[in-house]
Amino acid sequence: MAKTYSASMLKVLEGLDAVRMRPGMYIGSTGSRGLHHLLWEIVDNAIDEVANGYARSISVELHKDGSASVEDDGRGVPVDIHPELGITGVEVIYTRLHAGGKFDHQNYAYSGGLHGVGASVVNALSKHLQVNVYQDGKIYQQEYERGKVLYDLKVIGETDRTGTTIRFWPDVKDERDPEGIFETGDFQYDTLKTRFREMAFLNRGIRIVFRDERPEEAKENVFHYEGGISEFVKFINKNKEVLFAEPIYISGLVGTTSVEVAMQYNDTYSENIFAFVNNIHTPDGGTHLAGFNMALTRVINDYG
């Protein structure tokens, strides 16, 4: 016999509870892939500041206590009061889903990440998260535990710089804390290093400093390429015999869509094409790659 189904049985998840109950919907998994996705989301926010001309450098650090921090020299997360919600911009971004400055082209011409979801999802899936904002000569700070605000945004000092620093401790499950989310808290240095190198190639002139404090002897890499994606192509072809010394580089802007292409033929018979949209790698291609292949084939055929 069927049970009675009434409105009283409907459960409403408030705030970030939905993220903690179904993390896979937001970051794909609770394994290593999902863990790294947390860091990608915070770094992507910093990259968006760089890509839109508001920042020049990013520092990423893996700490011995299992946390990770990301620092940029951008404008800093808004600290003023949101006119409708009555809380600071910092609190809006880190505690409210679908809240951010990337839904139109007023603040960002283009951006990667989850568009208003990423920062709050990272907060929801972290045991602890700390935000420091450097703005208007002051250092602002707010902290959270599993997405819950610990105290109102406060001023903790003075500064002559601008930017944002995020430090978070992923909510890893263990014997002492069975309510945790992630099966592992081990960030893979080589995986991160490869991605940060890509980001530096894709954003001409950016400086990314990546440091790992966890080993006995700390490791550090600095990625900075004034040549942008042309240097990326040279890097890919560095152990191959190329048909011409300098890559072909083309860039253009149509409306609000900016396109960059760099290519260089070598003497092998295998093809390496790396496609990206808004700094996000698209290994399965898409209309951007299909359009490029079609245009290149047409130009070569017409010339022939």
Side-chain angles (χ1 to χ4, degrees):
M1 186 174 178
K3 291 183 179 179
T4 303
Y5 183 43
S6 64
S8 64
M9 297 178 178
L10 302 178
K11 184 174 182 180
V12 179
L13 298 176
E14 299 290 344
L16 301 177
D17 292 340
V19 181
R20 292 189 60 82
M21 182 168 283
R22 297 285 185 269
M25 290 177 58
Y26 298 88
I27 59 169
S29 82
T30 56
S32 180
R33 178 184 165 205
L35 176 75
H36 287 77
H37 196 112
L38 295 189
L39 188 53
W40 299 146
E41 287 300 330
I42 299 299
V43 172
D44 282 346
N45 286 342
I47 288 289
D48 288 341
E49 283 286 285
V50 172
N52 288 273
Y54 303 120
R56 292 291 292 173
S57 64
I58 296 171
S59 176
V60 183
E61 204 159 329
L62 303 178
H63 302 279
K64 290 184 177 181
D65 62 1
S67 66
S69 62
V70 179
E71 180 175 291
D72 67 61
D73 60 354
R75 296 168 293 177
V77 176
V79 297
D80 56 325
I81 301 297
H82 191 281
E84 296 174 13
L85 300 176
I87 56 178
T88 65
V90 175
E91 193 169 328
V92 171
I93 289 172
Y94 288 93
T95 64
R96 302 296 178 96
L97 289 173
H98 309 294
K102 303 175 185 178
F103 296 105
D104 54 35
H105 295 297
Q106 294 183 30
N107 291 299
Y108 296 91
Y110 62 90
S111 61
L114 291 177
H115 291 280
V117 176
S120 55
V121 165
V122 174
N123 191 15
L125 301 179
S126 296
K127 281 183 182 174
H128 191 85
L129 185 142
Q130 178 181 297
V131 181
N132 282 10
V133 180
Y134 307 89
Q135 202 176 93
D136 302 324
K138 299 175 182 177
I139 304 173
Y140 298 85
Q141 186 181 86
Q142 189 166 44
E143 294 181 82
Y144 315 84
E145 277 189 5
R146 288 174 169 160
K148 307 295 184 185
V149 177
L150 292 182
Y151 53 80
D152 291 338
L153 186 72
K154 63 183 181 182
V155 176
I156 62 168
E158 297 181 350
T159 183
D160 58 359
R161 54 160 293 198
T162 61
T164 306
T165 300
I166 307 298
R167 185 169 179 176
F168 66 95
W169 288 255
D171 197 357
V172 181
K173 185 186 301 183
D174 56 33
E175 294 178 358
R176 294 171 299 174
D177 191 359
E179 293 184 11
I181 300 293
F182 294 98
E183 298 152 23
T184 176
D186 185 23
F187 288 104
Q188 299 298 310
Y189 186 84
D190 289 338
T191 299
L192 296 172
K193 183 176 71 173
T194 300
R195 176 64 177 138
F196 296 146
R197 182 190 290 119
E198 279 184 359
M199 289 176 167
F201 280 130
L202 293 168
N203 296 273
R204 182 197 308 266
I206 186 179
R207 176 183 169 88
I208 300 178
V209 179
F210 178 38
R211 182 175 175 82
D212 189 353
E213 291 183 337
R214 297 172 301 173
E216 279 190 26
E217 189 173 334
K219 296 185 286 187
E220 182 175 294
N221 289 92
V222 179
F223 303 109
H224 175 79
Y225 306 105
E226 287 296 340
I229 61 172
S230 290
E231 285 196 58
F232 195 1
V233 170
K234 287 182 178 179
F235 175 79
I236 295 168
N237 274 337
K238 66 180 179 181
N239 294 321
K240 299 181 177 71
E241 190 71 33
V242 296
L243 273 62
F244 41 87
E246 290 299 317
I248 298 168
Y249 175 76
I250 303 165
S251 66
L253 179 67
V254 178
T256 59
T257 302
S258 173
V259 177
E260 281 187 284
V261 177
M263 53 186 288
Q264 184 183 46
Y265 288 102
N266 58 52
D267 64 350
T268 68
Y269 291 95
S270 60
E271 179 181 72
N272 276 323
I273 296 183
F274 296 88
F276 299 83
V277 175
N278 297 349
N279 287 311
I280 307 298
H281 183 34
T282 54
D284 297 324
T287 55
H288 54 298
L289 181 55
F292 165 75
N293 286 333
M294 191 188 318
L296 179 63
T297 301
R298 183 188 301 131
V299 167
I300 291 176
N301 284 344
D302 286 350
Y303 180 80

